[in-house]
Amino acid sequence: MTFRAVLAGCGGMSSGWLTALTTNPLLKGRVEIVGLVDLAPGLAAQRAAEFGLVSAQTGTDLNAMLDGTRPDLVFDVVIPAARAGVVETGLAHGCHVLSEKPMATSIAEGRALIEAARKAGKVHAVVQNRRFIAGVRRIRALIESGALGELTALHCDFFIGAHFGGFREEMEHVLLVDMAIHTLDAARFMAGKTPLSVYCEETNPKGSWYRHGAAANAIFSFADDVVFTYRGSWVAEGANTSWEGAWRIIGTKGTLTWDGGEVLEAKVVAGAEGFLRDVEPIAIPEARERARIEGHASVIADFLDAIEAGRPPETASADNINSLAMVFAAIESARTGRRVPIQT
């Protein structure tokens, strides 16, 4: 079927959404954009013209747009502070909703949106596109295979000097809320473990062009004694990591490293003697489903497939709140200076 959709929020992030929707083979022909909405007069029309959406209506009022176009879907690409209102409006008009991350500005708000979707009988999901890339899928497959032995730890470094301008530079807890959510969700997915608690220190380093919280260091405890550490900064000039971060995954038999790009290497112990045991490389499984490694397009395709099949999508809000809980527990730990349990 072809879904009719309204896109709310036509800022910079909307370009990625519209590029995926109009060019990726997973999505071509599956969605018709019937409307675009943005509070800034003229921005929706500008975006429609840019992507050749000649038949789409444009405007500044989401309620009026939904009344006039009667879509199946709302794509929520607004800033986090406006998210709950857009999701609630979409659900009230009988639409399934796919939101940008983070899914909410608090756990309580997240719970309320999950309940609103349940009452409406509609799907609400979140764009966690980082878990839909080959590296993350391959790491999950290797962990599940048992080739590394029992998982003991995951470590990720994220250091990028990112000059966005705009709303991010005024946000509180900008790194944890707007970026670390990707890494924390990926770690939870890779490990396949429940996050239990966190200790975090958050800073805004000297020279920061952000108002608040551009760097953080956190230690998460997962179920089965698995530890995940995160070191990140958005004001680290001079030696950028990948946007996916630089990873080290440790098991009882060996270690995998990933540069966040194309380089994945895994080695396991091959000897039983010596101060440092001999190791040997092992193969890392290739991604089994090409449709699951197309990033943004794969998230949207999974959302559409789930609606058609009557199943929850992988990034359903009812599951994604567990990643959001990691973020807000880290923020609470940074605020109090204490280890904080992760609760949804």
Side-chain angles (χ1 to χ4, degrees):
M1 65 179 291
T2 299
F3 293 91
R4 293 165 52 82
V6 165
L7 185 142
C10 295
M13 294 296 292
S14 66
S15 290
W17 285 67
L18 292 170
T19 297
L21 287 162
T22 57
T23 66
N24 193 285
L26 291 176
L27 300 173
K28 289 191 75 173
R30 298 190 68 185
V31 177
E32 178 190 2
I33 301 295
V34 297
L36 299 96
V37 175
D38 196 280
L39 294 179
L43 187 55
Q46 176 184 324
R47 195 67 77 204
E50 179 183 348
F51 284 90
L53 304 173
V54 294
S55 62
Q57 298 183 35
T58 61
T60 59
D61 187 319
L62 181 59
N63 264 305
M65 181 64 70
L66 298 181
D67 283 337
T69 59
R70 303 182 66 81
D72 307 298
L73 315 172
V74 169
F75 292 141
D76 158 29
V77 199
V78 300
I79 64 172
R83 177 138 301 126
V86 167
V87 174
E88 289 165 351
T89 299
L91 294 171
H93 281 78
C95 299
H96 304 286
V97 182
L98 181 61
S99 289
E100 259 297 344
K101 52 75 196 164
M103 65 170 281
T105 59
S106 69
I107 293 298
E109 185 176 271
R111 290 194 202 107
L113 295 180
I114 291 168
E115 179 62 12
R118 186 193 67 80
K119 287 183 176 179
K122 298 297 177 181
V123 174
H124 176 222
V126 185
V127 172
Q128 293 286 181
N129 53 323
R130 294 312 205 283
R131 64 162 62 195
F132 285 91
I133 59 177
V136 171
R137 295 275 159 174
R138 294 177 69 191
I139 291 170
R140 168 74 178 241
L142 186 68
I143 291 171
E144 287 182 330
S145 77
L148 291 178
E150 292 187 55
L151 181 67
T152 62
L154 306 93
H155 305 282
C156 184
D157 284 349
F158 175 88
F159 295 105
I160 291 182
H163 296 262
F164 291 102
F167 73 92
R168 286 181 181 84
E169 294 190 1
E170 297 301 320
M171 285 178 64
E172 292 191 348
H173 315 291
V174 62
L175 181 72
L176 288 172
V177 171
D178 196 62
M179 187 64 216
I181 180 67
H182 282 305
T183 311
L184 307 191
D185 183 72
R188 187 171 69 87
F189 173 74
M190 290 178 190
K193 306 289 184 183
T194 301
L196 302 177
S197 64
V198 60
Y199 175 77
C200 179
E201 292 190 356
E202 181 186 45
T203 61
N204 203 38
K206 290 179 180 179
S208 174
W209 49 95
Y210 295 88
R211 186 176 67 82
H212 184 269
N217 296 273
I219 304 170
F220 291 87
S221 296
F222 282 14
D224 300 322
D225 297 322
V226 173
V227 172
F228 165 50
T229 67
Y230 172 80
R231 301 189 302 175
S233 175
W234 252 349
V235 291
E237 300 278 33
N240 291 339
T241 63
S242 159
W243 280 95
E244 317 312 331
W247 291 79
R248 179 178 293 262
I249 315 293
I250 303 172
T252 54
K253 295 180 180 179
T255 293
L256 175 146
T257 58
W258 179 39
D259 69 349
E262 299 299 318
V263 182
L264 290 93
E265 296 178 342
K267 296 179 181 179
V268 296
V269 172
E273 297 181 353
F275 177 66
L276 297 177
R277 300 296 198 246
D278 290 337
V279 296
E280 62 184 9
I282 59 172
I284 301 168
E286 293 298 326
R288 288 171 291 188
E289 298 180 74
R290 300 299 301 178
R292 310 293 281 181
I293 59 170
E294 295 288 326
H296 208 137
S298 290
V299 180
I300 300 173
D302 182 60
F303 175 67
L304 303 181
D305 292 345
I307 294 169
E308 291 181 335
R311 63 165 175 83
E314 185 173 311
T315 60
S317 55
D319 176 75
N320 193 246
I321 196 170
N322 293 292
S323 297
L324 188 71
M326 294 174 71
V327 170
F328 285 112
I331 290 171
E332 180 66 10
S333 174
R335 186 185 68 81
T336 62
R338 298 177 180 176
R339 183 176 179 177
V340 170
I342 297 171
Q343 300 173 327
T344 60

